[in-house]
């Protein structure tokens, strides 16, 4: 099979017929052998009935129905487990993305041998204040933190080589960061392609502005996990030990000067606890110990879950 089109959706009944017709048309015109996976992420409208009918009409159409709304990432994950096409293209269901982009995205993977091609909504039709501006800031922060050079991480329209979607573990809200997950897994041939975009014709956006805060926290997590996930002691142990040593020697110095005061100069009035350094030293020692223990616990957890492989093999001879 050449192509799998994956469409996560939540209450998008108005767009499904048109979306299906356009995907179907473009795949047939380009003589692709294809499948379409609609993932109903807990819709309460008639979306699922429409998908059921489409799948009866056309054996290329498949559906997955969630028992409730789990989120776009889990919807993509469920479909990624099933897809069989050599190229996998994800697309939002709201018709903001154009199915007519499929052939060019497909060729970027098959002919130009990219691992991942992300859509780039260069000319964007969303609200400037709530989406376009924050999104610019968000994307430039993401480029700097992740080292992945994309202008539009969150674009729903993306194409992947099949191995990519089978290797990345999309959960939580990580759908925004699949290019970063892919890069971390060693798929470095990542590019972008300007794509057409239009205002949402029906319904409303399913994500609010909290997406930027969540997305940013997830990015920090990803950065940290990719750097220290396999060796937490190298981070926590190092920071913890430094803090402890600093605290310990501060306390030592305080105690030593106190002893000198008492036995050498016979000065008794200076209480160690009156010196602000005393509190700094104590805090440093306690925090240092806690960080060290956190690193140790992290290592123990990794040891317990050794069955869980955290590497990805590209080839075996
Ligand atoms: N979506 C989903 N589960 C959710 C939220 C959204 O499957 O919990 C789908 C939604 O139906 C759409 C796509 O994800 O097909 C993108 O959502 P939306 O258009 O609301 O996002 P925006 O365009 O505002 O980024
Ligand atoms: Mg949308």
């Amino acid at each position: 099979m050449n192509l799998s089109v994956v469409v996560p959706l939540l209450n998008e009944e108005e767009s499904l017929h048109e979306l299906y017709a356009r995907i179907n048309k473009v795949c047939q015109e380009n003589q692709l052998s294809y499948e379409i996976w609609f993932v109903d992420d807990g819709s309460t409208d008639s979306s699922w009935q429409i998908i059921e009918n489409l799948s009866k009409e056309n054996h290329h159409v498949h559906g997955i129905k969630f028992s409730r709304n789990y989120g776009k990432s889990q919807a993509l994950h469920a479909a990624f487990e099933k897809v069989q096409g050599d190229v996998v293209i994800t697309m939002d269901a709201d018709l903001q993305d154009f199915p007519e982009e499929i052939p060019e995205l497909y060729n970027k993977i098959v002919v130009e041998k990219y691992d991942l091609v992300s859509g780039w909504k260069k000319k964007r039709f969303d609200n400037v204040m709530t989406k376009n501006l924050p999104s610019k800031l968000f994307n430039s922060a993401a480029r700097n933190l992740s080292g992945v050079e994309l202008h539009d991480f969150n674009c729903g329209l993306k194409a992947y080589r099949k191995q990519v979607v089978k290797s990345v573990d999309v959960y939580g809200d990580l759908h925004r960061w699949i290019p970063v997950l892919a890069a971390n897994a060693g798929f470095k041939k990542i590019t972008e392609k300007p794509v057409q975009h239009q205002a949402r014709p029906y319904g409303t956006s399913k994500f609010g502005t909290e997406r930027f805060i969540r997305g940013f926290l997830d990015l920090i997590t990803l950065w940290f996990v990719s750097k220290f996930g396999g060796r937490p002691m190298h981070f926590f142990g190092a920071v913890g030990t430094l803090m402890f040593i600093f605290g310990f020697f501060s306390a030592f110095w305080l105690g030593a000067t106190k002893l000198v005061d008492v036995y050498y100069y016979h000065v008794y009035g200076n209480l160690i606890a009156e010196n602000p350094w005393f509190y700094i030293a104590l805090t440093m020692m306690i925090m240092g110990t806690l960080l060290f223990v956190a690193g140790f616990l992290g290592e123990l957890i990794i040891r317990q879950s050794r069955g869980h492989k955290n590497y990805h093999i590209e080839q075996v001879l």
Side-chain angles (χ1 to χ4, degrees), residues 8-10 12 41 69 93-94 96 131 200 205-206 211:
L9 61 114
L10 173 63
E12 309 280 5
D41 183 15
N69 176 233
D94 54 4
Q96 289 199 270
K131 267 196 183 167
R200 217 180 211 284
S205 173
K206 309 298 187 287
R211 74 168 92 197

